Amino acid sequence: MGSVDLDSELVKRVQNGDKAAFDVLVKKYQQKVVNLVSRFVSDHSECYDVAQDTFIKAYRAMDNFRGDSQFYTWLYRIAANTAKNHLATRSRKTPTYSVDVEDAEHYEGENGLKDQTTPENLLLTEEIKRTVYAAIEKLPEDLKTAITLRELEGLSYDEIADVMDCPIGTVRSRIFRARDAIDKELRPLLE
Amino acid sequence: MNQPKEKLSALLDDFRNTEQDNAVLDDLLKDVNQRYTLSRYQLIGDIVRNDTADRIEPDFSQRVMTLIEQEPSLRPQPEAAKLRDQRQSSGLWSFLFKPVAGIAVAATVAFVAVSSLGPVLSPKDSSGQFAANSSSLKVEKLVSLPVISNAVRVSAGSASSALQSGMNWKIKRNEPAIQKKLNTYLINHNENSNSMHGIIPQARVVGFDAQK
């Protein structure tokens, strides 16, 4: 709910000429978009190129976005179409399967055909994920519960407050402290 | 909730479009370091939900924004927008200029058409009736063309009567001579056309009969 409202506000600011607002949208949705594109495009380097094209197209079309759908639905549609066009243009293997844009996020097919020949990046990715999971394991129980309910279960602050039987301010604080602790471990890998 | 990072964390999850939230958002948009912090917070959530691709490129958003910086801003320049608004709001502008411009364009096109096509269609005619005369010439030329076999001539008189009826190209079909000529055209066409690839017609089975 809050995230959706933030998207609307960011879109409005982009439409008013604020490019930094688009930077926030890219940072928010980059992983999801690349993940979606990778369902269609098997080569990892091409995945990021297609994801990049997706964001450029989204920026150019942003003035036409009227908010009839959620921003991420609109963005995912652009990503799916860009990936399909990429496959058609390159005349590579056309998908023998049909994936609806609504289901594409959950589609797990064709993984065996993905390019696995980027050991440095794979190592970095594995290290990032391992660091995050290890940092979560080290968290005190109340922080771990709060961040898990928020990120994994998608509960709102009000709902987490109900589940954990604490004030909403405490929920905010616990989620922040959990993120901050994980971030302290993660940051050196990304700089 | 005093620390800027705590406000940032809450903004990501629980934006309520209040004045306070918008102030935090303003700070975020001004500070690139805050945006990188937000990016890492977002990445933590993506990893927990397994929303990441098989390979993470940490500088991806920077790459995209380098290209976005080269794109024109979505909002037009204030001066241009102001001028456009002034024009759109001016009733006199739209009321007078648009019809005058339309008439001027139409007159120019008509003049060019008359001056360039007139001499071609009717080189000896200066009376301004070149259109009707050229149609008459076309009909006379058509009826005088020889047919490869069994040629039938149609008099120019019958073509002229068709013209006088106002139907320039609707020739009287019921006249036997016209029927015969049309039939000949049709048979010749079928024999010479490429519509039957690789097949030689063995019998003449196609004909034209105005009675049917």
Side-chain angles (χ1 to χ4, degrees), chain A residues 13 15 19 23 27 31-32 48 52 60 63 121 125 129 133 150-152 157 179 183, chain B residues 9 13 22 26 35 40 46-49 51-52 55-57 61 63 65 67-68 71 75:
Chain A
R13 289 183 184 225
Q15 288 173 337
K19 289 182 177 178
D23 184 30
K27 284 175 165 56
Q31 294 300 327
K32 290 186 182 74
Y48 275 91
Q52 180 180 292
R60 287 174 182 163
D63 235 5
N121 256 293
T125 302
K129 288 181 179 177
Y133 293 134
R150 173 62 207 153
E151 297 292 14
L152 201 58
Y157 281 17
R179 280 180 175 147
D183 187 42
Chain B
S9 172
D13 300 324
N22 276 301
D26 289 340
R35 296 207 292 275
R40 290 194 301 277
D46 289 335
I47 290 173
V48 170
R49 288 186 300 272
D51 266 345
T52 55
R55 193 182 67 175
I56 294 170
E57 278 194 13
S61 65
R63 211 171 81 190
M65 288 314 293
L67 293 169
I68 294 293
E71 293 281 323
R75 233 0 87 210

Side-chain angles (χ1 to χ4, degrees), chain B residues 154-155 158 161 171-181:
Chain B
V154 179
S155 67
S158 59
S161 65
I171 297 167
K172 290 176 180 175
R173 289 177 160 196
N174 291 335
E175 288 184 8
I178 295 291
Q179 280 192 33
K180 197 173 179 183
K181 181 160 184 173

Side-chain angles (χ1 to χ4, degrees), chain A residues 47-64:
Chain A
C47 275
Y48 275 91
D49 288 344
V50 173
Q52 180 180 292
D53 288 348
T54 299
F55 282 111
I56 302 290
K57 282 181 186 175
Y59 179 78
R60 287 174 182 163
M62 193 68 97
D63 235 5
N64 300 323

Side-chain angles (χ1 to χ4, degrees), chain A:
Chain A
M1 179 64 184
S3 179
V4 170
D5 288 340
L6 177 61
D7 287 357
S8 303
E9 183 59 29
L10 287 168
V11 165
K12 203 188 300 176
R13 289 183 184 225
V14 175
Q15 288 173 337
N16 284 327
D18 191 342
K19 289 182 177 178
F22 193 75
D23 184 30
V24 176
L25 287 169
V26 174
K27 284 175 165 56
K28 265 192 86 178
Y29 290 107
Q30 54 181 336
Q31 294 300 327
K32 290 186 182 74
V33 166
V34 174
N35 198 20
L36 173 65
V37 168
S38 71
R39 317 273 180 193
F40 295 91
V41 181
S42 57
D43 189 319
H44 286 300
S45 59
E46 289 182 5
C47 275
Y48 275 91
D49 288 344
V50 173
Q52 180 180 292
D53 288 348
T54 299
F55 282 111
I56 302 290
K57 282 181 186 175
Y59 179 78
R60 287 174 182 163
M62 193 68 97
D63 235 5
N64 300 323
F65 179 71
R66 294 280 168 255
D68 297 332
S69 59
Q70 302 294 353
F71 172 74
Y72 61 80
T73 311
W74 181 74
L75 183 65
Y76 291 176
R77 197 175 297 130
I78 294 174
N81 288 334
T82 307
K84 286 175 185 173
N85 290 342
H86 171 80
L87 288 176
T89 305
R90 296 290 182 91
S91 302
R92 296 207 170 159
K93 177 181 76 68
T94 51
T96 53
Y97 47 89
S98 175
V99 184
D100 191 80
V101 67
E102 307 295 332
D103 305 325
E105 248 192 307
H106 310 291
Y107 185 75
E108 293 293 341
E110 306 288 318
N111 279 341
L113 298 177
K114 286 182 178 176
D115 176 21
Q116 300 289 337
T117 57
T118 52
E120 292 85 2
N121 256 293
L122 271 179
L123 188 66
L124 176 66
T125 302
E126 288 305 312
E127 187 64 15
I128 288 169
K129 288 181 179 177
R130 193 193 59 76
T131 302
V132 169
Y133 293 134
I136 291 172
E137 282 305 309
K138 283 195 285 184
L139 290 174
E141 199 57 39
D142 55 345
L143 302 193
K144 195 195 294 184
T145 305
I147 193 78
T148 305
L149 289 175
R150 173 62 207 153
E151 297 292 14
L152 201 58
E153 304 298 332
L155 299 190
S156 68
Y157 281 17
D158 292 327
E159 290 167 327
I160 296 169
D162 282 346
V163 170
M164 297 187 76
D165 196 21
C166 63
I168 195 167
T170 307
V171 171
R172 280 198 197 100
S173 172
R174 284 176 180 171
I175 288 174
F176 162 66
R177 283 190 287 143
R179 280 180 175 147
D180 197 44
I182 301 166
D183 187 42
K184 279 188 171 66
E185 308 279 335
L186 180 64
R187 194 171 172 173
L189 292 175
L190 300 175
E191 285 181 335

